[in-house]
Amino acid sequence: HEINCLQGVEIETRLEKFFAHDAKKILREIKTPFVIMLDGYEALVNKLGQGDKARAEDNWLHEPKIGLVRKLPNVLWVVAGREKLHWEEDILPNEQTHLMGQISLEDAKLYFHKIGIFDEKMIAGLHKLTSGTPVYMDWCYKQYIQLQREKGYEIKLEDFGSNTTELAKRYLRDMKSEQQDVVYLLSCLPDIWNDEMVNWVAKKTNYQVSINAEYKRIKGLSLIEKIGDEYKIHETFRNVVLNFMEDEDRGDLSEAVWEYYIYYLDCEHTDEEKADMVKRYVQSFRRIGKYTKWNEEKLEKMLHGIYRYAWRIRNLDIVLETRDFVNDIMKDEKNKCCILAQYIVTEFYMRLQEYKKAKEIAENEYAICIKAYGEDNKLALSFLGRLAVIYEFTKDYEKGKEAIEKKYEGYKRMLGAAHKETLEVCQELIHLCNVTGN
């Protein structure tokens, strides 16, 4: 409770103590590996200089006897910022200090020296070629080993390619055919995938043998990022792989991914898990969806899945991307799939309480529906129902009543006055009459 009695300046002077107290309390019962990230810490310490004062101020974290780095062996410490920490070599070896994502030229030299490249010009060229990105540097290493085996002359910078795409192409060409099959399959999956998805798609196609032989090894390569129990393939390499593949192979794999999507939504997963699958699939539309053999039946299944689970994602972009993708495929605003996609957008805007946008879309789509299919079709009547709700929320009760009356008359003509759905619409009409006092 000490912190509650202190002023801001006093808290700052004892910040390390409070942090250490909380860390000890939280981590006392934790047995699994743990990560603590201190962003900007190096600027705080390094401004104190290189002398005894700096070391004394930093002892709480890295001093051998009392420092938290030594006291908490199950913790991975990530100290991030724009400056380099001035810690002793035994605490922080040089190879553990680098820019995240892009390794500095200084640190890249250490890497290339370890694999046997010492020419300064070559190292500078490779660093520029890879942009200091670890996965690209790893590709250079594989290429260097291959060149050493095959060439009897001095290796040159141009042997690695002119850019990262060329580097990835060379890396792919050097893979065995079974390994290529695995990365072909992985490149056709949504951005993030797991073992279940891989094995399901492999069984649906002709990739099962390769998956059994090489999948585990491919997952261990630096071009694959592990995210918990899931994985992600490096984007540049994935694009290169897709360009290498035959259209037929991309089509077969895309069809299998589509089938997995439908299978997953039919299984006993939680709504949150299904919403996550919808999100992943939609986000991959432009990459893998273009190779799927779409028809109205498939699009309707996909849209119903999105309609059911998209709200749990709470992401308008997912819904808008779906609509645009369907419009690009069907290229006809009168097509029922395009209209259904717009209905989902309308529903989403309503949930966001953006009634003006919802009304604009609903009125436009209702006009399109009756022009293309007549007044007595479920899509047109669904938009009338949405309009009735919108008018009610915006207190335009007369228009709301008019819309629901049209919907009721349409259902009577289509299904008869005694049908369950007609009676449900009748209840909606009674509700609006009660609201308006008519």
Side-chain angles (χ1 to χ4, degrees):
H1 303 288
E2 181 183 356
I3 194 171
N4 296 325
C5 304
L6 300 177
Q7 300 297 317
V9 176
E10 295 172 307
I11 293 174
E12 182 180 1
T13 60
R14 305 183 198 184
L15 202 55
E16 299 94 335
K17 175 185 175 181
F18 296 137
F19 178 87
H21 175 271
D22 288 346
K24 181 180 179 181
K25 182 179 178 181
I26 292 169
L27 298 172
R28 183 176 289 138
E29 302 299 325
I30 293 179
K31 305 300 181 184
T32 55
F34 198 79
V35 179
I36 293 179
M37 181 169 181
L38 299 177
D39 192 12
Y41 177 81
E42 80 304 331
L44 175 66
V45 175
N46 291 344
K47 72 180 182 180
L48 299 173
Q50 305 295 312
D52 293 337
K53 183 181 178 183
R55 282 193 291 273
E57 291 287 340
D58 197 40
N59 278 343
W60 73 280
L61 187 60
H62 87 274
E63 201 274 341
K65 293 183 179 179
I66 65 170
L68 287 182
V69 171
R70 299 292 183 89
K71 289 279 189 178
L72 301 171
N74 286 333
V75 173
L76 169 63
W77 291 87
V78 180
V79 184
R82 296 180 179 274
E83 300 177 25
K84 194 171 183 178
L85 274 171
H86 301 295
W87 282 6
E88 288 82 3
E89 174 70 15
D90 65 324
I91 295 290
L92 190 69
N94 285 334
E95 61 264 28
Q96 294 184 19
T97 306
H98 59 79
L99 296 177
M100 297 179 70
Q102 294 186 334
I103 295 176
S104 67
L105 178 58
E106 179 183 350
D107 291 329
K109 287 179 182 179
L110 297 173
Y111 174 84
F112 287 119
H113 286 170
K114 286 182 179 179
I115 66 173
I117 301 177
F118 299 96
D119 181 84
E120 295 291 322
K121 186 176 180 181
M122 171 76 79
I123 291 174
L126 289 174
H127 184 262
K128 182 178 180 181
L129 172 65
T130 62
S131 301
T133 304
V135 65
Y136 296 152
M137 292 172 64
D138 188 49
W139 293 348
C140 282
Y141 166 71
K142 300 291 195 306
Q143 180 70 5
Y144 179 76
I145 298 299
Q146 182 71 21
L147 291 168
Q148 272 190 322
R149 287 199 297 261
E150 294 182 357
K151 294 186 178 293
Y153 62 90
E154 182 181 358
I155 297 172
K156 301 175 182 178
L157 180 61
E158 47 265 34
D159 291 323
F160 295 90
S162 57
N163 52 53
T164 51
T165 299
E166 181 62 30
L167 191 63
K169 287 180 181 178
R170 292 174 184 236
Y171 187 36
L172 177 62
R173 290 192 195 103
D174 288 340
M175 285 183 166
K176 296 187 298 185
S177 60
E178 294 86 356
Q179 295 169 351
Q180 289 181 352
D181 284 345
V182 175
V183 296
Y184 286 168
L185 187 151
L186 301 183
S187 297
C188 289
L189 299 178
D191 291 349
I192 298 177
W193 36 266
N194 58 25
D195 293 342
E196 177 192 306
M197 186 187 298
V198 169
N199 288 312
W200 198 97
V201 173
K203 287 178 183 178
K204 282 286 181 177
T205 53
N206 60 346
Y207 290 83
Q208 187 64 55
V209 174
S210 298
I211 288 295
N212 290 341
E214 295 290 343
Y215 177 51
K216 184 176 180 180
R217 200 188 81 80
I218 293 296
K219 284 197 298 182
L221 298 178
S222 60
L223 60 91
I224 304 295
E225 178 185 357
K226 193 173 189 301
I227 308 169
D229 294 329
E230 299 176 313
Y231 303 89
K232 181 178 182 180
I233 192 168
H234 197 278
E235 186 174 356
T236 299
F237 187 70
R238 182 180 64 200
N239 292 337
V240 167
V241 171
L242 287 172
N243 287 329
F244 261 73
M245 294 176 67
E246 298 291 336
D247 287 346
E248 183 178 354
D249 293 331
R250 287 184 299 207
D252 290 344
L253 286 167
S254 297
E255 288 290 327
V257 172
W258 150 256
E259 291 177 21
Y260 178 78
Y261 166 78
I262 297 300
Y263 158 80
Y264 190 93
L265 295 185
D266 286 339
C267 288
E268 293 184 2
H269 298 287
T270 66
D271 285 351
E272 287 74 16
E273 290 170 334
K274 291 181 180 181
D276 189 52
M277 174 57 68
V278 168
K279 178 181 178 181
R280 294 180 187 192
Y281 190 75
V282 171
Q283 288 176 330
S284 304
F285 270 163
R286 299 297 176 184
R287 178 168 53 81
I288 59 178
K290 63 182 178 181
Y291 302 116
T292 306
K293 298 179 179 68
W294 292 107
N295 55 38
E296 285 191 356
E297 182 182 358
K298 284 182 180 179
L299 285 174
E300 281 193 59
K301 283 185 178 180
M302 180 194 70
L303 288 167
H304 283 301
I306 291 169
Y307 175 70
R308 183 172 179 181
Y309 300 108
W311 179 243
R312 289 183 177 272
I313 304 171
R314 301 182 186 277
N315 189 327
L316 178 61
D317 290 339
I318 293 291
V319 179
L320 295 177
E321 174 62 22
T322 301
R323 178 197 63 188
D324 294 345
F325 184 78
V326 172
N327 287 340
D328 288 346
I329 291 173
M330 304 311 295
K331 302 184 187 308
D332 180 8
E333 66 176 7
K334 297 177 184 178
N335 180 274
K336 63 180 181 179
C337 292
C338 295
I339 295 171
L340 180 57
Q342 288 284 47
Y343 182 82
I344 297 173
V345 174
T346 304
E347 190 80 2
F348 212 88
Y349 276 130
M350 287 179 63
R351 296 199 185 203
L352 294 174
Q353 297 183 0
E354 296 189 30
Y355 299 120
K356 183 178 179 181
K357 289 183 178 179
K359 183 177 76 168
E360 181 181 338
I361 296 172
E363 288 177 340
N364 183 63
E365 292 303 312
Y366 174 67
I368 291 173
C369 276
I370 61 176
K371 187 174 181 180
Y373 305 107
E375 292 186 350
D376 296 341
N377 72 88
K378 283 203 171 183
L379 273 175
L381 297 176
S382 294
F383 277 110
L384 271 178
R386 293 302 87 194
L387 282 169
V389 175
I390 293 168
Y391 292 141
E392 182 181 355
F393 276 125
T394 55
K395 298 186 175 7
D396 196 344
Y397 298 118
E398 288 304 318
K399 277 193 174 182
K401 183 184 173 187
E402 181 183 339
I404 207 69
E405 284 175 342
K406 280 187 178 180
K407 183 179 179 181
Y408 177 59
E409 293 300 323
Y411 267 92
K412 279 203 301 184
R413 288 192 296 270
M414 284 176 55
L415 304 175
H419 193 277
K420 178 184 175 183
E421 292 184 51
T422 308
L423 294 174
E424 288 174 354
V425 179
C426 183
Q427 289 299 315
E428 295 175 27
L429 179 57
I430 292 170
H431 165 74
L432 263 181
C433 288
N434 290 334
V435 170
T436 57
N438 295 325

